[in-house]
Amino acid sequence: DAGVIQSPRHEVTEMGQEVTLRCKPISGHDYLFWYRQTMMRGLELLIYFNNNVPIDDSGMPEDRFSAKMPNASFSTLKIQPSEPRDSAVYFCASCRDRVSGANVLTFGAGSRLTVL
Amino acid sequence: GDSVTQMEGPVTLSEEAFLTINCTYTATGYPSLFWYVQYPGEGLQLLLKATKADDKGSNKGFEATYRKETTSFHLEKGSVQVSDSAVYFCALSDQAAGNKLTFGGGTRVLVKP
């Protein structure tokens, strides 16, 4: 398996532009997570899906952020409009199930976003 | 709520030195504990885990023992290599909190030749 695949790896955009980050989880993994990593706040869980359904989006910072999972093999995280404080590395991760102990996430390589 | 506290870095040491990264946790239930490692430019990957008290997780020369009495899961390696330079994250998964994975802030380790 190719692992969790994220695109783009790097994105530089200007304030106010729309940003779309993409993720392909590992086949057969029922859970998908979006995390954000910054120096100031560390690793933050934004949202997670189970069987394509959003379960907990309490970590989504504000209405400018939205996430979708139209099918088991694809998810997007969209920021519209983007702001400089959104600059971060965004990680997608997936796992097969969430039984404690088997809750082992596989992370993608991340998408580094810079908003000027 | 659940939380994980780990020592702040950076930790700088020489090759073949002994490494310890402290990790303590707070959880409402009986969590599983994990160490993840993030190499430069990459995503996090599981290093080791322990699912119950007194379990020892080990991988690549790293070890950590689940200590319920001290709510700790310290990471150790007897002889580090330059290739161990990375950021290490302690994490817990608490069934009482819906198995949400909670991460510590990460500890950057730099091993010099």
Side-chain angles (χ1 to χ4, degrees):
Chain A
D1 200 315
V4 176
I5 300 173
Q6 292 187 244
S7 64
R9 289 295 310 275
H10 302 276
E11 174 92 3
V12 180
T13 190
E14 293 189 346
M15 183 173 63
Q17 296 298 306
E18 178 178 294
V19 173
T20 300
L21 308 178
R22 299 172 178 80
C23 175
K24 176 180 169 56
I26 291 175
S27 178
H29 281 192
D30 294 333
Y31 290 85
L32 183 141
F33 304 79
W34 282 100
Y35 284 87
R36 177 172 68 176
Q37 185 180 39
T38 61
M39 289 293 292
M40 291 295 294
R41 303 170 75 96
L43 203 59
E44 304 173 276
L45 175 63
L46 300 178
I47 184 171
Y48 81 91
F49 296 82
N50 176 214
N51 291 325
N52 314 338
V53 177
I55 303 300
D56 183 354
D57 65 354
S58 59
M60 296 286 262
E62 45 196 278
D63 291 346
R64 297 184 297 106
F65 286 69
S66 63
K68 294 182 179 179
M69 192 167 185
N71 56 62
S73 59
F74 183 67
S75 177
T76 60
L77 178 67
K78 186 174 293 187
I79 309 172
Q80 167 63 21
S82 58
E83 297 183 3
R85 59 191 168 125
D86 302 329
S87 298
V89 181
Y90 291 81
F91 288 103
C92 178
S94 68
C95 70
R96 186 175 301 278
D97 63 55
R98 297 199 76 195
V99 174
S100 185
N103 186 7
V104 176
L105 300 187
T106 301
F107 281 78
S111 295
R112 181 177 294 276
L113 172 65
T114 302
V115 183
L116 303 175
Chain B
D2 295 346
S3 66
V4 177
T5 302
Q6 55 183 113
M7 58 191 292
E8 291 191 16
V11 175
T12 303
L13 56 168
S14 299
E15 210 165 19
E16 299 184 2
F18 185 89
L19 171 67
T20 299
I21 304 176
N22 290 338
C23 171
T24 57
Y25 67 89
T26 301
T28 53
Y30 299 95
S32 294
L33 302 174
F34 307 83
W35 277 101
Y36 281 80
V37 58
Q38 183 180 28
Y39 297 105
E42 298 182 12
L44 282 71
Q45 55 185 274
L46 179 70
L47 181 59
L48 53 84
K49 70 176 184 178
T51 58
K52 61 182 187 297
D54 299 325
D55 270 2
K56 177 186 285 188
S58 60
N59 186 25
K60 300 181 180 179
F62 289 89
E63 292 184 341
T65 301
Y66 189 141
R67 300 290 188 198
K68 185 179 177 183
E69 63 276 14
T70 55
T71 61
S72 65
F73 193 54
H74 304 322
L75 183 68
E76 298 181 335
K77 185 173 185 181
S79 177
V80 294
Q81 305 299 313
V82 172
S83 57
D84 294 324
S85 298
V87 181
Y88 294 82
F89 292 88
C90 187
L92 70 83
S93 173
D94 188 352
Q95 191 169 4
N99 287 323
K100 177 181 176 180
L101 200 60
T102 301
F103 285 92
T107 301
R108 183 176 299 277
V109 172
L110 177 61
V111 181
K112 296 185 175 180

